[in-house]
Amino acid sequence: MASPVQIRVTINGTLHTHEVEPRLLLVHYLREVCGLTGTHVGCETSLCGACTVLVDGKAVKSCTMFAVQADGCALTTIEGLAVNGDLHPVQEGFWERHALQCGYCTPGMVMTAVQLLADRKRPTREEIAHALRGNLCRCTGYTHIIDAVEHAAARR
Amino acid sequence: MAVEYRVYPAAFEYFAPRTVDEALELLGRYGDEAKILAGGQSLLPMMKLRIAGPRCLVDVNRIAGLDLLRREGDRLEIGALCRHADMVESPLVRDLLPIMTDAARQTADVQVRHRGTVAGSLAHADPAGDWPAALMALDAVVRIAGLGGRRTMPLHEFIVDAYSTRLDAAEMVVGVSIGIPAKPSGGAYVKFEKRAGDFAVASVGVQIDLEGDRCRSVAVSLGALGPTPIRARAAEDVVREAAPSADRVDRAAELVREAAQPFADTRGSVEYKRHLAGVLFRRAFAAALDRARGRQVETIHL
């Protein structure tokens, strides 16, 4: 086994320090080492986006990055969005517009949408759809998800 | 540690050097058992499937200066850590080389674009990769560093086969250098994909330099239509040194179909892909010509 590497990662404002095996994927680090199971493992093949988190403010697929690569980075996961129990506007949009059925893809969808709205104040429906290309949903047909992101954009 | 973590890739030694020289020293020590980790958006999926199992990963993400994107005289210099997203967002790239903005925007999805790099895409040399196809229509040179020094190589020499380049095991790509076409000029990259964010079924890049109403020079590159990107030189000859006419474009599209060497797979049959090559050529040519004439046109619909 390769030698473990010490990493320091700030997740949702809290500093975490762990020794990890270099081959540990970031998503498994979040879920199994840090206990943050809101980030989902979907396809395991870098296609579905269920594992999307923000690394230094950028949406990435946490199944396609090693935990060691996050050393020194600031991460935001789905658990870090609500403030004192008040939903983030994107979470509220998903609630209000019924943008989920089974909910499996939802954390990744929300994180990608948060990134989109950080970059663009009022994206068009087409821009929302384009931004969500890396997130697959097998239930909703996407229309309500786009509604939810529009709702969130209008609320800010 | 007591916890048994779930893992997919085989174990490897991990290094995060701070300089190119340190990275080269590691490559020298591990040879072809080492892989460079830049964006990792092709490497990690391969490692998870255990198609790749390097004994050593050299993570170059912490090397300062490799993320530079700048104009130097008549060339655009792209450091090895420039991400696809950097290309999407760069006003400099959009102004000088809109064909590259097209390619960047159509590469995978936003999450992959935040990590994946232009240089890594060339070094990986996927036959359906967007950067090899788009950059083959330009004067693109790969900057390579080795323990013996630095060298450069034109992209068309660098990529030799599917997933194969002339990079030695102890070398790394440190950047890509693109000649900036003199205006009036324009380029476009058009891609057809079966699913959102997928690799291309087929793609075509066209770069045109105008002189009056004449195409002083034309480059046509085909992606996912052979083991490497292909320059459709016979098609280029038909439209070069001439004013573009419907007849010439028809003839060029025919030659593009002939130049394509597609293989049948789940994305389509040989006949289908050949047909697509002609269609995409027409779209890319029209967009490149419009841009060379100063018009703003989109090649993807948002």
Side-chain angles (χ1 to χ4, degrees):
Chain A
M1 184 174 127
S3 7
V5 177
Q6 179 166 318
I7 60 168
R8 292 159 58 84
V9 187
T10 304
I11 307 171
N12 305 326
T14 304
L15 180 67
H16 295 251
T17 305
H18 290 103
E19 286 211 331
V20 297
E21 235 196 299
R23 62 173 166 168
L24 183 67
L25 298 171
L26 180 59
V27 68
H28 291 143
Y29 172 71
L30 292 171
R31 289 177 58 84
E32 295 172 28
V33 181
C34 302
L36 295 166
T37 53
T39 302
H40 290 171
V41 181
C43 67
E44 308 185 350
T45 52
S46 319
L47 293 172
C48 80
C51 64
T52 301
V53 300
L54 306 186
V55 176
D56 290 337
K58 308 246 187 215
V60 304
K61 294 175 183 173
S62 60
C63 81
T64 311
M65 191 170 159
F66 293 112
V68 284
Q69 293 182 276
D71 183 27
C73 295
L75 272 61
T76 307
T77 69
I78 190 75
E79 290 92 344
L81 293 185
V83 180
N84 298 325
D86 290 335
L87 295 182
H88 183 281
V90 173
Q91 291 174 306
E92 190 191 289
F94 272 65
W95 177 282
E96 290 295 332
R97 297 299 168 126
H98 192 62
L100 59 114
Q101 288 179 33
C102 84
Y104 204 89
C105 72
T106 308
M109 286 283 181
V110 169
M111 296 315 292
T112 307
V114 166
Q115 152 89 77
L116 170 67
L117 296 186
D119 292 346
R120 309 246 332 151
K121 271 196 156 57
R122 293 298 289 269
T124 64
R125 291 183 70 82
E126 289 73 23
E127 285 169 337
I128 296 168
H130 183 74
L132 293 173
R133 278 158 60 104
N135 293 80
L136 302 184
C137 171
R138 300 289 79 152
C139 306
T140 66
Y142 300 99
T143 306
H144 288 195
I145 294 173
I146 295 168
D147 292 346
V149 181
E150 252 190 336
H151 179 96
R155 277 300 163 93
R156 292 183 314 160
Chain B
M1 285 181 293
V3 187
E4 187 70 20
Y5 302 131
R6 191 188 295 268
V7 289
Y8 303 137
F12 54 84
E13 291 289 334
Y14 174 82
F15 299 96
R18 300 296 169 134
T19 65
V20 169
D21 283 346
E22 280 172 51
L24 293 173
E25 192 272 319
L26 288 161
L27 293 178
R29 197 191 317 162
Y30 285 88
D32 56 13
E33 291 187 304
K35 283 292 279 184
I36 295 274
L37 172 60
Q41 301 301 289
S42 296
L43 180 60
L44 262 76
M46 289 170 73
M47 289 176 69
K48 287 195 284 182
L49 294 167
R50 303 220 176 181
I51 294 168
R55 195 156 73 83
C56 161
L57 274 195
V58 180
D59 181 352
V60 295
N61 284 280
R62 291 173 200 271
I63 298 179
L66 283 185
D67 59 349
L68 288 181
L69 170 64
R70 63 185 189 279
R71 181 179 187 160
E72 276 182 16
D74 60 357
R75 300 197 74 85
L76 183 71
E77 297 293 336
I78 303 166
L81 286 176
C82 288
R83 320 274 168 180
H84 310 319
D86 298 329
M87 299 296 128
V88 174
E89 289 152 19
S90 166
L92 184 68
V93 172
R94 188 180 302 266
D95 177 47
L96 300 176
L97 292 154
I99 183 175
M100 291 184 62
T101 307
D102 285 351
R105 288 170 80 188
Q106 295 175 85
T107 299
D109 50 57
V110 68
Q111 295 98 316
V112 170
R113 290 195 294 270
H114 279 144
R115 302 235 21 110
T117 64
V118 179
S121 168
L122 300 184
H124 184 52
D126 190 308
D130 293 305
W131 286 118
L135 298 187
M136 199 70 95
L138 299 169
D139 160 23
V141 170
V142 182
R143 296 193 179 279
I144 299 167
L147 284 172
R150 306 242 169 165
R151 61 181 181 134
T152 57
M153 189 180 285
L155 179 61
H156 64 90
E157 288 175 28
F158 179 73
I159 297 179
V160 290
D161 203 344
Y163 307 105
S164 299
T165 70
R166 290 201 195 279
L167 197 65
D168 289 337
E171 288 182 318
M172 69 175 274
V173 176
V174 288
V176 185
S177 170
I178 312 285
I180 297 168
K183 289 188 177 178
S185 61
Y189 177 75
V190 177
K191 170 183 180 179
F192 193 80
E193 52 189 25
K194 209 170 164 183
R195 303 182 270 115
D198 195 7
F199 281 98
V201 179
S203 66
V204 177
V206 173
Q207 180 68 33
I208 297 173
D209 295 351
L210 282 180
E211 197 172 278
D213 199 38
R214 233 163 30 98
C215 295
R216 186 164 46 81
S217 78
V218 181
V220 179
S221 66
L222 315 181
L225 290 164
T228 70
I230 295 167
R231 278 284 291 268
R233 299 204 187 262
E236 293 171 4
D237 290 343
V238 168
V239 275
R240 186 186 300 118
E241 298 293 350
S245 64
D247 281 357
R248 283 185 186 273
V249 174
D250 283 348
R251 177 66 188 136
E254 206 175 294
L255 292 168
V256 163
R257 285 192 293 270
E258 282 174 24
Q261 305 162 21
F263 36 86
D265 61 12
T266 53
R267 294 192 178 96
S269 65
V270 168
E271 297 71 25
Y272 174 69
K273 291 182 181 182
R274 212 180 272 286
H275 172 76
L276 203 50
V279 173
L280 298 181
F281 164 73
R282 287 171 183 282
R283 291 181 191 170
F285 188 84
L289 190 60
D290 274 346
R291 285 173 175 170
R293 288 170 172 166
R295 295 190 199 117
Q296 299 280 330
V297 289
E298 292 293 341
T299 56
I300 58 171
H301 299 285
L302 278 187

